[in-house]
Amino acid sequence: MDLNRFNPRQREAITHVGSPLLVLAGAGSGKTSVITHKIAWLIQEAGIPARHITAVTFTNKASREMRERVGNIGPKDQTRGLTVSTFHAFGLNLLRREAGYAGLKSGFSILDAEDTKSILTDLLKRESIDDHDIISKIQHTISNWKNDGLSPEATQIQANDPQSVLAASAYVEYYRYLKACNAVDFDDLILKPVELFRSEPDLLARWRSKVRYLLVDEYQDTNLIQYEMVRLLTQISGALTIVGDDDQSIYAWRGARPENLNELSADFPTLKVIKLEQNYRSTRVILETANTLIARNSHIFEKTLWSDKGFGERIEILPAKTDEDEAERIASLILERRLNLRQQFSDFAVLYRSNHQARILEFKLQHFKIPYKLSGGTSFFARSEIRDLMSYLRLLINPDDDNALLRIINVPRRRIGPTTLEVLGKYARERHQPLYACIPEMGLINRLEPEAARRLAQFHQLIERAQRDLLAGQGMHAIDELLEEINYRGWLSDQSSSEPMAENRWGNVIQLLEALRKDLKHDPEEAIDEDDSNDTAIEAAIRKLVLRDILEREEEEDDSDRVQLATLHAAKGLEFPDVFLMGVEEDLLPHKNSIEADTIEEERRLMYVGITRAKQNLTVTYAKRRKQFGELIETTPSRFLDELPEEHIHWHGKDELAPEIARQKGQDTLSALHAMLKGESV
């Protein structure tokens, strides 16, 4: 394998074996190329079969890119059997194979955050708690406990105040509910495999033999239970490469622990550390500015990024009178630079701390007819028709899934009213059985009005027929027949405000079914591994779609020529020639909650991530007055602006034109640009 295009540190990282390896990969240092070539090197030069190599990361997008790039390095037959996946997809595959050990039946459901909140709302209602804020806090607490590897019993012992006692009690009931429904939630996809590794030595040994070499990307984003999974799988063999950067750890709010990097040395005494400090993305000005800023943080490992991309332009800091003026200034500069520098709209990104900051900018971009795409828009899987169909699929492979049943029992409308559902729910709780299993029982029928019992029976028969056909090998035909029988297309037409909207929604259903067909055909890139699993192909394909639903809510891709609007969290891993950091003010960046909680270092890392997204030009903006609750409130520039090196910044408004003159000049420029775009003479 020819590695001449790599620098010495990169080559060393690619070829190192024999001891655990930590690659400290700074922003723009080529870490993806390093990790993909290392996988290829392990196969081609170290002689490790691809089927025994596993690489894990955090998003489907990242795993797809990694898989594709490895496939392009060498012969495709060499990579057959290679596992490149997210942490959660890896956990799902393990649970599919080891369902019996985990106390799960074939066809178990995966619940998302919305499902979890719905369950907790119902459970807490029995305790006369219906405050949505309290329920959300309990949901977050339970998730954090799972990410820390704590069982319901452990939390009950630790709970020492009224709120934690309530959360611990809810955790116990929630755990019982999941068990009764043959379901797991998103956090369980990591927690349950780790619990199995701890309690089943033979199972752990079997998985260690499967995973003979493990590579972990974005390691600084791992939580405690993810690190435990890595440790248990690899501590004996030491066949491990970890790639991470503590300066880009920005997910503490969801359990990420940059200190996991520090614990590696204790758990792996022979750990080798290689630093990738050459940046291939940004100019010297941008990098030196980022280095100066992040140097104020405490560090587990010291590193200094450098670049040979040239000195570059100074960073512009632009104050604006109001948040509306700020948005207009950004729109004006995008148009100006696009025309003067012959850039594409896709060369620009506007980044901000919180989603609400984008609203006023969207209006300005729309007004000036600047195309844009907004990260975190409505996900394909969040659309109501898709959630309906996914609930039908979930119920077909797991009749114990109460949440799925409750969503679709009246979709289309079957006139099964709340009174009937209340009687069904009460009866099921008394019997400690799932809702679906109770429907045909005589004890329930005797409590219902005859017509209500008949409607429930019809629904039960519908699902029974579809389930028999599905599991008998008729697969997609069974699903098509079900949709035809319930006339779901007609239901969409009735529920839509126009026929084009109805057709668009039906098109989404067709798209989902096509994705299911693709998985059933064992597409080479998305193949479903049936080894050691009791699942049928259709069950595996449906469960895979459920996981994709959860993982891809904010991963929709769009390569068209549009300005990218994104939060700083969503922008991690991306790069753009021209970046705007918007709303760099106290209480926004750093965020007010972080100031109060004294977690400024994470906010500084967010600023660092924003700066290092820029390849050539970086513009930082803030508003002197920002509208809050209908009133303009005085703001203060972020403390981070004072931490930037003076020689690398141009702070507008200091010893410059009077604000009125500058504003008029900007408006004149914008008017001229508009006239040009319309083809008018100026």
Side-chain angles (χ1 to χ4, degrees):
M1 180 184 295
D2 185 10
L3 301 179
N4 287 329
R5 72 180 183 89
F6 293 97
N7 67 44
R9 296 285 75 77
Q10 289 175 324
R11 286 197 298 272
E12 187 180 8
I14 292 169
T15 59
H16 177 80
V17 292
S19 70
L21 173 66
L22 169 61
V23 181
L24 285 172
S29 62
K31 72 172 181 70
T32 303
S33 289
V34 168
I35 199 168
T36 52
H37 277 78
K38 173 138 200 176
I39 293 170
W41 194 88
L42 289 170
I43 298 169
Q44 296 175 21
E45 305 296 335
I48 302 174
R51 68 181 183 277
H52 290 305
I53 298 173
T54 294
V56 292
T57 186
F58 283 86
T59 67
N60 279 336
K61 182 180 178 182
S63 65
R64 281 196 302 269
E65 181 184 3
M66 195 181 297
R67 189 186 300 113
E68 290 166 1
R69 291 176 68 166
V70 172
N72 292 331
I73 295 174
K76 290 194 180 295
D77 61 341
Q78 288 189 349
T79 60
R80 189 172 294 119
L82 173 70
T83 297
V84 181
S85 72
T86 63
F87 268 100
H88 293 88
F90 177 84
L92 173 61
N93 183 46
L94 187 148
L95 289 180
R96 284 182 52 234
R97 295 173 179 235
E98 313 291 356
Y101 281 99
L104 296 166
K105 294 180 287 185
S106 177
F108 64 86
S109 296
I110 307 170
L111 307 185
D112 63 12
E114 186 177 318
D115 294 322
T116 296
K117 189 167 187 177
S118 175
I119 294 165
L120 288 172
T121 299
D122 184 58
L123 293 174
L124 290 165
K125 196 176 290 181
R126 302 172 197 174
E127 305 294 327
S128 301
I129 296 170
D130 57 4
D131 187 302
H132 289 288
D133 288 338
I134 293 175
I135 294 168
S136 293
K137 287 178 181 176
I138 289 173
Q139 180 180 6
H140 186 66
T141 298
I142 292 173
S143 179
N144 285 343
W145 280 338
K146 288 192 173 189
N147 290 333
D148 287 343
L150 297 176
S151 67
E153 295 76 19
T155 61
Q156 285 197 306
I157 296 170
Q158 294 183 12
N160 54 13
D161 61 80
Q163 187 169 327
S164 61
V165 169
L166 178 61
S169 176
Y171 188 9
V172 171
E173 292 302 313
Y174 175 63
Y175 177 84
R176 289 173 181 165
Y177 183 97
L178 294 185
K179 191 174 181 67
C181 292
N182 190 34
V184 296
D185 63 20
F186 194 56
D187 297 322
D188 286 329
L189 296 178
I190 310 296
L191 176 60
K192 284 189 173 295
V194 168
E195 289 177 340
L196 290 179
F197 286 163
R198 289 169 173 168
S199 63
E200 303 289 343
D202 291 345
L203 181 148
L204 176 58
R206 188 163 67 252
W207 278 86
R208 282 173 173 169
S209 69
K210 290 179 182 290
V211 183
R212 297 182 190 173
Y213 202 100
L214 179 66
L215 303 99
V216 184
D217 193 17
E218 302 288 1
Y219 187 74
Q220 75 281 347
D221 294 337
T222 56
N223 57 35
L224 195 150
I225 200 70
Q226 287 164 336
Y227 175 55
E228 183 69 357
M229 174 183 278
V230 171
R231 189 186 67 80
L232 287 168
L233 276 171
T234 62
Q235 194 171 26
I236 300 298
S237 68
L240 172 68
T241 289
I242 281 169
V243 182
D245 180 10
D246 55 333
D247 288 334
Q248 297 187 72
S249 181
I250 57 175
Y251 294 111
W253 51 274
R254 69 183 189 193
R257 301 171 76 251
E259 55 266 36
N260 283 349
L261 287 164
N262 198 37
E263 292 178 9
L264 285 168
S265 299
D267 290 328
F268 298 89
T270 59
L271 180 74
K272 183 177 180 64
V273 179
I274 297 175
K275 300 178 183 179
L276 303 184
E277 296 175 299
Q278 183 174 358
N279 176 285
Y280 294 90
R281 174 187 300 157
S282 307
T283 64
R284 275 181 54 197
V285 163
I286 291 170
L287 277 186
E288 289 174 11
T289 299
N291 288 339
T292 300
L293 176 76
I294 205 65
R296 292 176 174 263
N297 275 12
S298 56
H299 285 81
I300 300 168
F301 299 96
E302 296 293 337
K303 66 180 184 304
T304 302
L305 297 185
W306 62 276
S307 170
D308 60 4
K309 291 287 187 181
F311 191 77
E313 299 291 329
R314 286 196 296 172
I315 294 166
E316 305 282 341
I317 300 180
L318 300 179
K321 185 177 179 181
T322 66
D323 49 352
E324 186 171 351
D325 291 336
E326 179 188 36
E328 186 165 307
R329 186 72 184 278
I330 291 171
S332 171
L333 285 170
I334 289 173
L335 283 177
E336 182 180 338
R337 293 175 187 176
R338 180 174 181 265
L339 291 169
N340 292 342
L341 304 177
R342 300 185 181 277
Q343 291 177 280
Q344 301 293 311
F345 282 122
S346 57
D347 290 336
F348 297 92
V350 185
L351 311 180
Y352 36 82
R353 177 62 174 83
S354 302
N355 274 309
H356 68 84
Q357 294 173 249
R359 294 170 191 161
I360 192 167
L361 180 62
E362 285 191 79
F363 287 127
K364 291 296 180 183
L365 295 177
Q366 290 167 4
H367 180 73
F368 295 124
K369 297 180 172 54
I370 298 174
Y372 67 92
K373 56 183 176 181
L374 183 67
S375 290
T378 301
S379 160
F380 176 76
F381 285 94
R383 294 163 181 157
S384 62
E385 62 273 14
I386 300 303
R387 294 194 69 82
D388 288 345
L389 183 51
M390 291 299 298
S391 293
Y392 269 107
L393 296 176
R394 284 166 49 182
L395 190 64
L396 289 177
I397 67 168
N398 179 18
D400 296 345
D401 191 334
D402 285 356
N403 266 45
L405 181 146
L406 290 171
R407 179 175 179 92
I408 50 87
I409 197 166
N410 273 308
V411 177
R413 192 168 289 111
R414 299 183 177 91
R415 294 190 297 158
I416 299 173
T419 302
T420 302
L421 292 176
E422 187 176 344
V423 173
L424 172 60
K426 184 178 179 182
Y427 180 83
R429 286 194 295 272
E430 291 173 359
R431 298 270 290 128
H432 302 289
Q433 293 290 324
L435 298 174
Y436 184 83
C438 293
I439 291 175
E441 291 191 3
M442 190 58 65
L444 174 67
I445 295 171
N446 290 336
R447 296 188 188 186
L448 295 170
E449 295 293 329
E451 184 61 19
R454 185 185 67 80
R455 290 169 186 157
L456 275 178
Q458 286 180 333
F459 172 76
H460 189 271
Q461 291 161 10
L462 170 78
I463 300 300
E464 285 287 292
R465 286 195 302 273
Q467 188 182 39
R468 277 197 306 271
D469 293 344
L470 191 76
L471 301 182
Q474 297 188 39
M476 295 305 303
H477 177 73
I479 297 169
D480 291 337
E481 286 288 306
L482 173 65
L483 292 175
E484 182 71 26
E485 185 171 353
I486 66 176
N487 189 23
Y488 189 72
R489 188 172 188 175
W491 162 258
L492 287 179
S493 184
D494 293 340
Q495 297 300 306
S496 301
S497 58
S498 67
E499 196 56 34
M501 179 181 285
E503 285 303 305
N504 184 58
R505 296 178 70 187
W506 178 248
N508 291 333
V509 172
I510 297 301
Q511 187 177 341
L512 182 69
L513 295 177
E514 287 302 315
L516 195 55
R517 287 190 176 91
K518 179 183 177 183
D519 282 345
L520 286 170
K521 290 178 182 177
H522 286 208
D523 181 84
E525 291 187 358
E526 301 287 343
I528 298 169
D529 185 0
E530 296 295 326
D531 294 344
D532 303 328
S533 174
N534 294 320
D535 287 350
T536 65
I538 191 70
E539 286 176 319
I542 291 171
R543 193 178 298 108
K544 185 179 176 185
L545 275 180
V546 174
L547 181 59
R548 189 182 301 169
D549 169 4
I550 299 170
L551 287 173
E552 293 193 351
R553 294 272 170 93
E554 296 190 1
E555 287 187 41
E556 293 183 316
E557 297 181 58
D558 186 345
D559 296 326
S560 59
D561 186 26
R562 295 194 280 173
V563 176
Q564 175 73 66
L565 310 185
T567 65
L568 288 163
H569 288 98
K572 187 165 160 293
L574 304 178
E575 59 182 41
F576 303 90
D578 209 317
V579 170
F580 291 83
L581 291 186
M582 179 182 179
V584 186
E585 305 150 19
E586 291 291 297
D587 293 343
L588 277 179
L589 184 66
H591 195 275
K592 181 180 180 181
N593 294 342
S594 299
I595 297 172
E596 293 173 351
D598 196 22
T599 53
I600 297 298
E601 287 203 352
E602 173 135 345
E603 295 293 294
R604 188 174 286 110
R605 290 196 290 269
L606 264 180
M607 181 79 173
Y608 174 85
V609 166
I611 292 172
T612 55
R613 298 313 92 196
K615 298 167 71 174
Q616 297 164 9
N617 296 306
L618 176 65
T619 306
V620 181
T621 68
Y622 66 91
K624 296 178 181 179
R625 300 171 74 195
R626 185 170 297 276
K627 189 170 287 187
Q628 294 181 17
F629 308 109
E631 294 184 17
L632 281 172
I633 307 297
E634 297 287 338
T635 70
T636 304
S638 171
R639 68 189 72 188
F640 298 149
L641 298 182
D642 293 324
E643 297 174 2
L644 305 182
E646 291 185 6
E647 67 272 20
H648 289 337
I649 63 174
H650 178 201
W651 196 319
H652 291 244
K654 293 185 176 181
D655 302 321
E656 293 190 3
L657 295 173
E660 309 82 34
I661 300 174
R663 185 167 58 252
Q664 186 60 53
K665 184 180 178 183
Q667 289 173 348
D668 292 344
T669 300
L670 190 58
S671 298
L673 289 169
H674 256 274
M676 291 172 62
L677 289 172
K678 291 178 179 179
E680 300 173 355
S681 60
V682 181

